[in-house]
Amino acid sequence: MIDDLLRKAGVKVDSTAPIDYGKQYRVSRGAEKAIVNVYQGKKGTRVVVQMNTPLAEELRGLFGETKKAAGPAFPAYAVWCGSDESGKGDYFGPLAVAAVGLTTATAAKAAAWGVRDCKTMSDATALDLDRRIRDGLPHKVIGWMPEEYNRRYPAAGSVNVLLGEAHAEAIAGVAAKLPGLEAAVVDQFGDEGHVERALREHGLDLSLVQRPKADETDLAVSAASVVARAAFLRGLATLVKTWGLPFHKGAGPEVLAHARDFVRKHGQDALGQVAKLHFKSTQQL
């Protein structure tokens, strides 16, 4: 059905790729491009069209989107950065926070690469796009593998305190590489004071914007979401290689089953090397 509608609209499908819960189409008509994400769920098919082009607007009308889902926007700054995290809700693997800096010129380049919220792409696509972002844009990644994460957590007492510290450190890392940085946009995860206090400790005087779902609406935060996700995936892959066991994402029943398997083979004391111990999953073991 989707292919038929695109064909009738005179749109060429340049490539397709699997994404979480669906399929992504990269399409074009002449010089115009758009990204069409098709999600399959219990309530049926949902289509989300990305990018801000005349073709994308036309496709939104074609698929009857009631809510626009345009690509990430360019805020009113000439030089800014965005930060986001990955691994916060995953029992196994690291906590990764990334910040990426953009200017008006480099933002256009990032948009052309197809930078967007990492949740709309497959892991393979995120890893590929991550290499491009890190090669071409100022960035900073803060990654704590489980052993380091568990060492830091008791003093912080909260994952949001740790996140505030990591976001501020990542933003400071970009500020050191990107002269004239005006603002930082953060995908809000809790009390805004966590990042504000940590940034003050770094001596940074920036316009700080924190808002939910910033990874969907701000291009720099979208880029950071990709880099953070890739860092988390690399960390998880390292654990798989080191321990020779599967370490699944998330914190559901399947993850708990793998945790039990790990404890049977390596003992409870080794769990802190692969998992975030303050999760309820640890008590369930």
Side-chain angles (χ1 to χ4, degrees):
M1 172 186 164
I2 300 296
D3 300 81
D4 291 339
L5 286 172
L6 291 171
R7 206 164 26 247
K8 288 177 182 178
V11 173
K12 176 187 174 186
V13 177
D14 297 318
S15 65
T16 62
I19 57 176
D20 290 343
Y21 311 109
K23 183 176 181 181
Q24 182 178 93
Y25 296 76
R26 287 181 172 269
V27 303
S28 63
R29 188 172 59 198
E32 294 181 34
K33 295 183 181 296
I35 296 170
V36 181
N37 292 328
V38 182
Y39 300 97
Q40 303 290 345
K42 293 180 180 178
K43 296 182 179 180
T45 301
R46 175 172 171 255
V47 178
V48 175
V49 181
Q50 295 186 312
M51 300 182 73
N52 294 319
T53 65
L55 176 59
E57 288 297 324
E58 183 178 326
L59 291 177
R60 287 186 187 101
L62 177 68
F63 291 113
E65 285 191 46
T66 57
K67 178 183 178 182
K68 283 192 177 183
F74 295 41
Y77 307 110
V79 185
W80 83 104
C81 74
S83 67
D84 198 7
E85 76 275 345
S86 184
K88 176 183 177 181
D90 297 274
Y91 185 52
F92 292 125
L95 176 70
V97 174
V100 176
L102 291 177
T103 66
T104 303
T106 59
K109 180 168 64 173
W113 292 341
V115 168
R116 61 197 186 280
D117 175 14
C118 73
K119 293 191 294 294
T120 67
M121 62 184 72
S122 67
D123 288 347
T125 299
L127 288 165
D128 183 61
L129 189 54
D130 161 70
R131 285 189 287 271
R132 200 170 224 183
I133 293 169
R134 288 188 294 114
D135 285 345
L137 297 172
H139 65 279
K140 179 69 175 178
V141 181
I142 306 300
W144 297 326
M145 291 296 279
E147 198 165 13
E148 174 67 9
Y149 179 94
N150 292 323
R151 187 185 69 79
R152 290 173 175 265
Y153 186 86
S158 162
V159 65
N160 284 346
V161 172
L162 288 177
L163 282 172
E165 295 170 358
H167 276 275
E169 189 175 344
I171 292 166
V174 171
K177 301 175 183 178
L178 187 57
L181 186 66
E182 300 173 50
V185 183
V186 177
D187 189 30
Q188 188 173 351
F189 54 84
D191 187 332
E192 294 183 2
H194 293 307
V195 180
E196 291 172 352
R197 285 189 293 273
L199 277 178
R200 283 198 298 271
E201 291 176 5
H202 283 275
L204 288 176
D205 184 19
L206 296 171
S207 174
L208 178 62
V209 179
Q210 299 185 67
R211 61 172 179 263
K213 298 185 178 180
D215 50 354
E216 299 177 8
T217 57
D218 181 273
L219 193 66
V221 182
S222 295
S225 78
V226 173
V227 175
R229 185 63 172 171
F232 168 78
L233 291 171
R234 287 194 299 271
L236 202 61
T238 297
L239 294 179
V240 171
K241 185 176 181 181
T242 300
W243 296 92
L245 289 170
F247 293 106
H248 285 247
K249 292 173 281 188
E254 188 178 35
V255 171
L256 188 61
H258 285 295
R260 289 196 177 102
D261 189 33
F262 178 88
V263 169
R264 278 194 297 269
K265 291 182 178 180
H266 299 286
Q268 185 83 23
D269 290 345
L271 189 61
Q273 297 181 55
V274 299
K276 303 177 182 74
L277 295 180
H278 67 88
F279 274 47
K280 290 180 180 179
S281 302
T282 304
Q283 280 68 50
Q284 290 174 317
L285 290 172

